[in-house]
Amino acid sequence: MSADTTELTFTLLTKADQGAELLHVAYERIMRPSFVPDELPGPNSLTPGSGASVLIAKDRDTGTPLGLARLLTGNGDGVALLEYLAADPQVRGRGIGAALLSRCREIWSEAGELVVLAEVHDPRIHAESEHEHPAARLRFYERHGARLLGLPWTQPALGPETQRVEGMLLLVMYADPKRVTTELERRVVHDWARAYFEAAETGASHRSTAQVLLTLAAGGPLQIGPIADLDRLVPLPA
């Protein structure tokens, strides 16, 4: 199978009782090799429903899942999250991720989302590893139109057996061009972040307020700019 011959179909799962076998195969082929345990608690982390949907790119001829995106819709505040985007490691570089991202943007536009964010490792802090390639991932998103939100980020603990992930960045994957240009109101991000942490961190050991929420508590609008301006928009900790 080559980049020239691979054609895709897409399946969007929105309910918890949909696509169990497809999700299982996608988890083993795509997700497990692509994320460290703190970022992927287990197969149930892909379950659609309750504001989450899963978009799967499949080989048109074989039906084999080749890429997956999990989307969390805005909870009334207009801020949505691209929770996961990954391609089967065996077919990376063949346009699977770009095709998924293009279809995601169609979904976000139709849903009327204000802005869609994504969490990525800051390549200045996180080293290359078997599962993570921070610099390459950031370059991929930059090529496909993502911008950077001027805020240091901490990913919440996604399950009782996982830990928060420090040294993250927030990317703006989509923004309503009529409502968001180069700034995002700080209160909007603060309210989204608070709801995100409270929903994710159900274990007693994770109930303390994250430093990032304190950072968001006061100040002017958050700047949105090119990923190339990383050092200016998100200074490294002293």
Side-chain angles (χ1 to χ4, degrees), residues 13 15-17 23 42-50 52-54 70 72:
L13 306 175
K15 299 179 181 179
D17 59 353
L23 283 171
N44 289 340
S45 61
L46 299 184
T47 303
S50 300
S53 57
V54 179
R70 189 170 192 265
L72 299 181

Side-chain angles (χ1 to χ4, degrees), residues 11 44 105 121 188 221:
T11 295
N44 289 340
R105 286 186 169 128
H121 285 161
V188 170

Side-chain angles (χ1 to χ4, degrees), residues 31-90:
M31 305 304 289
R32 189 190 292 275
S34 301
F35 295 93
V36 297
D38 278 339
E39 296 170 346
L40 189 71
N44 289 340
S45 61
L46 299 184
T47 303
S50 300
S53 57
V54 179
L55 181 66
I56 299 178
K58 301 179 295 184
D59 183 280
R60 188 191 65 178
D61 296 325
T62 66
T64 302
L66 300 178
L68 181 147
R70 189 170 192 265
L71 322 173
L72 299 181
T73 59
N75 295 318
D77 55 13
V79 181
L81 180 69
L82 175 59
E83 190 176 30
Y84 297 112
L85 179 77
D88 182 334
Q90 297 183 40

